[in-house]
Amino acid sequence: MYPEHTPHVPAQRAVEVHQPTPYPPAVHVPATVVPVQPNAVPAVASIVLPDGRVVTGYAINPTQPEPIAAKPAVSRTAVNVALGGAGFLAVCGGLVLLTSFIAALTAFISQLIILAAVIFGGWIAVQLFSARGHPGGTTVNIRKAVIKRNHFHG
């Protein structure tokens, strides 16, 4: 801890000694005892210990706490009816949600079918009423009732 070339001299301290100061003994003043007659004579109990000694004394009753206001008891039938009603409402709510989900899904699918029919019908209409003809293909003109392939002229 100290370098080798530095001489170590322990610090010298002045030592103080403190002597305890004694307190004077307390003066005991006996209190006046006023005899009071109890309202009822308590019962004296005797207990025989396992080693054969007999201990006699007054029984001390433990203090009883104040009784808490008793809540009225709830019948099991009322609890079962309440739980059954809550379960019934939960099931009904779930069925309403399921029904609305199925209705929404049905509407969505029907809209997809209608959209596909419109797109496919539009494609067919474009193919039928397009002004340009396809060489070598079948030409159908419904207004003039001309069908090239079967050589039908109306």
Side-chain angles (χ1 to χ4, degrees):
M1 185 156 130
Y2 291 98
E4 295 290 330
H5 63 280
T6 305
H8 174 62
V9 177
Q12 295 177 354
R13 293 185 186 164
V15 177
E16 289 184 32
V17 177
H18 295 281
Q19 297 293 331
T21 306
Y23 287 114
V27 178
H28 181 64
V29 178
T32 58
V33 178
V34 179
V36 177
Q37 189 71 8
N39 293 340
V41 178
V44 178
S46 296
I47 300 172
V48 179
L49 297 176
D51 60 357
R53 292 181 295 163
V54 177
V55 177
T56 304
Y58 295 106
I60 299 174
N61 294 330
T63 58
Q64 298 293 329
E66 292 287 328
I68 299 174
K71 292 192 277 184
V74 179
S75 68
R76 293 178 78 74
T77 305
V79 171
N80 290 339
V81 168
L83 290 176
F88 178 75
L89 288 177
V91 168
C92 289
L95 289 176
V96 167
L97 289 176
L98 180 65
T99 305
S100 61
F101 174 73
I102 290 173
L105 187 63
T106 304
F108 178 69
I109 290 173
S110 64
Q111 287 178 355
L112 285 179
I113 290 172
I114 291 170
L115 180 65
V118 167
I119 291 174
F120 186 67
W123 180 77
I124 289 176
V126 166
Q127 296 300 321
L128 287 178
F129 299 119
S130 65
R132 55 191 178 125
H134 296 286
T138 303
T139 302
V140 177
N141 194 340
I142 296 173
R143 286 189 183 158
K144 294 182 182 178
V146 176
I147 299 175
K148 273 184 172 179
R149 179 170 262 179
N150 294 335
H151 304 289
F152 174 77
H153 302 282

